[in-house]
Amino acid sequence: MLGNLWTFQGRYRTLHLTWFAFFLTFVVWFNLAPLATTVKADLGLTLGQIRTVAICNVALTIPARVLIGMLLDKFGPRKTYSSLLIFSVVPCLLFASAETFNQLVIARLLLSIVGAGFVIGIRMVAEWFPPKEIGLAEGIYGGWGNFGSAFSALTMVAIAGLLSFSGGFELPTGAVLNWRGAIAGSGLISALYGIFYFFNVRDTPPGKIYQRPTKTAGLEVTSMRDFWGLLGMNVPFAAILSVLCWRLKKVGFLDEGTYPLALFAVLIWFAFQTWGIIRTNSELIAGTKIYPKEDRYEFKQVAILELTYIVNFGSELAVVSMLPTFFETTFDLPKATAGILASSFAFVNLVARPAGGLISDKLGSRKNTMSFLTGGLGIGYLVMSWIKPGTFSGVSGILVALFITMLASFFVQAGEGATFALVPLVKRRVTGQVAGLVGAYGNVGAVTYLTIFSLLPMWMSGGGEATAEIIANSNSAFFQILGIAGLIVAFMCFFFLKEPKGSFDELHEGEIA
C-alpha cells in the first residue's frame, strides 16, 4: 500500500481527498484554542466562562456523531461530508461576530456539530480499502486529518496577526490580533472545499454496491442481550448532556426558567434515540426475526471500543483544548510560543495514528495492539502529571516536557488508529452507525474530562481563590485522572475484547472476488 500511496489514483485519490476534508473540519473545530486567552481578554470573560465555551465546543458533537452515523449509512459519505463542510461556515461567522458570552456559547454549540465529520470518512475509507489494509488506511485518514488541530495551534495566532485591523485585541506589545477574521476565514475555506469534494469523489469503487441497513433509526443488533446492552450504553449520552446543561447554568447562560427546558430537550433526545433503537429492532424484540450465526455480531465489541475512544480521543480533545494555556502558564511563555509547543501533541498524529493502524495490520492481533497502546497511553499521562512550574525549568526543562508530551501523544493517537482499525470490522452494513457511536463516546469522554478540568481548581481551593499553585496542582491531578482511566480500559481490552472475524482478509464481509 505504501508504495502506491502517492499515486493519487483510484482509492488513494479518495483517501487523500477525504483526509483533507477531515483536516479542514478539525481546523475549524479547534480554531478557538490558540486564541482563547485573546478572546477572553477582548470580551472580558472569566476563567469559568472561557472554559465553558471550550466544553461547548465538543457538546453537540455527541448527538451529532450518532445522527450523522445514521445519515451516513442512508445517504453515503459523499453527500454527508460535503453538506457538513458547507455548514461549517455558519457557526464560524456567528462566532466571529459575537459580542457576548451567550452568543459565543450558541456559536460554539453549533460549531461542535462540525466535529462529527470524522465518522463520515471512516466509512468512505472502509469502502475503498480491504480488511488487511484497513488499519493503515484509516490511520492515515485519522492521523493526517487530525493534524488540523495542530495546524490551528500553529497558525491561527499568526493568521490573526496578518489580518489585523481596528477592532482587534490590543496586546501589551502594541500588536493587534484579529481573531474574528481568522475564525471566519477558516469557515469560508471549509465551505468552498465542501463544494469541491462533492464533485470529485464517489461513495464506492466502480462496480461495488454501497450496502445500506434496512432501517437507520437506531443501531441494528442481533440478540436480545445486545439490545439491552445498547439501551444501557445510550444512557451516558443523556447523562453527559445533562452535565453540560448544569455547567451552563453555573456560569449563568441558563437560568431557573431555561435550565429545566434544556434538561427536557435532553430527555426528548434520549427518548427519540431509545424509540429509534426499538423501531429498528422491533422484529428481534417480537421474536419474529432470528439471526443466523454467520450474521450475528456481539455488541460487547462496540461497547469496549466506545470505552477505548473515551480514553484516547476523548482525552486528546480535552488535552488539546487546555494545552496551549497549560504551556503558557507553566513556563510563562508568549501565546504564540505556547501554541507551537502545544501543537506537538496533535503534530504527532501525522505518524502515530497511521503507525497504530499499521501495527494493528502487521502484528496479527488487533486486540493485543489495542490493549498495549491503551496501557501505554495510561502510563504516558501519569508521566505528564510531573510537569509543573519549577519541576522543569529553562530551555532544557521545556524540551524534556515537550518530549514527555510527544511520547504520551504517540500512544494516545496510535490507540485511536487501533480503535478504528477494529470499527469497520464489527459489522459492515452498520459501519456508519458503529463509527458514530464509538466517535460519540469520544466526545462523552471529552466533555467529562473538560468538566472535571474546569472544576478541579475550585475543588482543590475549597471554593476559594484559585492561586497559581492550585492551578498547577489541578493540572497535575487532571493528567493523573486521564492516566488511571487509560490503565483501567487497557485491562478491559486485554480480558474482554475479541479478535474480529476476517481481520486480515482480502475482501470485506459479503464481498465476492
Side-chain angles (χ1 to χ4, degrees), residues 239-252:
I240 206 64
L241 289 173
S242 299
V243 168
L244 176 65
C245 293
W246 168 79
R247 183 63 184 155
L248 292 175
K249 180 177 180 291
K250 292 287 288 184
V251 296

Side-chain angles (χ1 to χ4, degrees), residues 450-474:
L450 283 171
T451 300
I452 293 171
F453 175 68
S454 68
L455 295 175
L456 275 174
M458 181 185 69
W459 291 338
M460 299 183 75
S461 66
E465 182 183 356
T467 63
E469 182 180 359
I470 288 174
I471 290 175
N473 289 334
S474 71

Side-chain angles (χ1 to χ4, degrees), residues 400-420:
V400 171
L402 182 63
F403 173 77
I404 292 172
T405 300
M406 294 179 73
L407 185 62
S409 177
F410 177 85
F411 283 100
V412 171
Q413 285 153 142
E416 295 166 9
T419 295
F420 276 91

Side-chain angles (χ1 to χ4, degrees), residues 1-153:
M1 174 180 169
L2 289 174
N4 296 318
L5 182 61
W6 299 110
T7 60
F8 289 90
Q9 299 295 322
R11 58 183 177 175
Y12 302 102
R13 181 176 183 272
T14 299
L15 175 61
H16 287 299
L17 291 177
T18 303
W19 77 250
F20 192 71
F22 177 37
F23 173 89
L24 286 178
T25 63
F26 258 45
V27 170
V28 168
W29 197 19
F30 285 99
N31 59 18
L32 171 63
L35 298 169
T37 54
T38 302
V39 175
K40 175 178 176 290
D42 191 16
L43 298 181
L45 304 178
T46 65
L47 179 62
Q49 286 177 323
I50 196 64
R51 286 187 171 183
T52 299
V53 172
I55 294 172
C56 292
N57 200 47
V58 298
L60 292 186
T61 314
I62 296 169
R65 285 192 168 187
V66 176
L67 179 61
I68 284 180
M70 298 175 186
L71 296 174
L72 169 61
D73 284 340
K74 183 174 183 178
F75 296 108
R78 172 173 162 264
K79 292 179 180 177
T80 313
Y81 229 150
S82 298
S83 299
L84 187 69
L85 287 162
I86 294 169
F87 164 79
S88 68
V89 71
V90 176
C92 281
L93 293 177
L94 288 174
F95 192 88
S97 60
E99 295 290 347
T100 66
F101 170 67
N102 287 0
Q103 291 171 347
L104 291 176
V105 168
I106 292 171
R108 223 64 214 180
L109 285 171
L110 290 174
L111 198 50
S112 68
I113 296 172
V114 180
F118 167 72
V119 171
I120 307 169
I122 290 298
R123 173 124 198 203
M124 175 68 94
V125 174
E127 290 295 324
W128 284 80
F129 286 85
K132 67 176 185 176
E133 296 179 355
I134 201 71
L136 180 57
E138 298 285 12
I140 289 172
Y141 164 71
W144 294 3
N146 212 347
F147 183 66
S149 62
F151 185 82
S152 274

Side-chain angles (χ1 to χ4, degrees), residues 34 44 88 92 117 161 180 193 287-288 339 352-353 379 386 413 423 444 508:
S88 68
C92 281
R180 298 180 187 276
Y193 187 78
T288 58
R353 196 153 183 167
I379 295 170
W386 299 345
Q413 285 153 142
V423 164
V444 168
H508 280 286

